[in-house]
């Protein structure tokens, strides 16, 4: 993020509209698939509160990430695409929104992963510790 914020508007626009041509498709499949998988896992473990809570929290966070992407990042993508090959009007604000939206998404996805893994591993570790 930091280096891209220093790029001149023309370079930033050119990179942002050419580096990620398939990410919208691949990224969407991966992120929606991860959310659906997490929700399915929550349904499967719903009777086990120790597993259900962290899996559900992780699912909610993943859902918030998708919502944030649609509210913050997608409109910026549309602005860049509609202005291509020129720099879109309001460039500084658009760039800040795009970069910040992606950074927040990444941080939230990391939190979701940590919550999920910790929640799934903790009961096994506790059971193993009680046997020793």
């Amino acid at each position: 993020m930091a280096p891209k914020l220093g790029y001149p508007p023309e370079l930033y626009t050119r990179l942002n509209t050419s580096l990620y041509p398939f990410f919208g498709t691949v990224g969407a499949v991966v992120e929606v698939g991860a959310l659906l998988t997490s929700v399915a896992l929550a349904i499967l473990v719903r009777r086990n509160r120790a597993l259900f809570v962290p899996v559900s929290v992780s699912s909610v966070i993943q859902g918030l990430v998708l919502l944030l992407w649609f509210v913050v990042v997608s409109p910026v993508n549309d602005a860049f695409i509609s202005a291509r090959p020129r720099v879109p009007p309001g460039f500084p604000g658009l760039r800040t929104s795009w970069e910040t939206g992606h950074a927040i998404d990444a941080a939230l996805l990391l939190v979701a992963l940590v919550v999920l893994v910790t929640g799934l591993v903790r009961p096994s570790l506790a059971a193993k510790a009680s046997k020793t």
Side-chain angles (χ1 to χ4, degrees):
M1 178 176 165
K4 285 177 67 182
L5 289 175
Y7 292 167
E10 294 77 16
L11 175 60
Y12 184 94
T13 299
R14 184 168 181 208
L15 289 173
N16 247 33
T17 57
S18 65
L19 283 179
Y20 313 109
F22 303 111
F23 189 78
T25 305
V26 174
V29 170
V30 169
E31 289 198 22
V32 171
L35 174 60
L36 293 176
T37 302
S38 188
V39 169
L41 182 59
I43 292 168
L44 290 172
V45 300
R46 68 186 176 275
R47 289 188 179 92
N48 183 333
R49 184 169 169 77
L51 295 176
F52 179 74
V53 170
V55 173
S56 297
V57 168
S58 179
S59 298
V60 168
I61 294 170
Q62 290 175 59
L64 289 174
V65 165
L66 284 176
L67 178 64
L68 177 67
W69 186 88
F70 278 108
V71 170
V72 175
V73 177
S74 183
V76 175
N77 287 344
D78 294 342
F80 273 94
I81 289 167
S82 66
R84 189 174 29 191
R86 296 177 308 280
V87 174
F91 170 78
L94 291 171
R95 175 179 57 190
T96 300
S97 292
W98 197 90
E99 296 294 339
T100 303
H102 277 87
I104 292 169
D105 279 357
L108 287 173
L109 286 172
L110 179 61
V111 169
L113 177 64
V114 169
V115 168
L116 180 65
V117 171
T118 303
L120 294 175
V121 170
R122 183 175 291 154
S124 297
L125 293 176
K128 189 174 185 179
S130 69
K131 290 181 182 179
T132 55

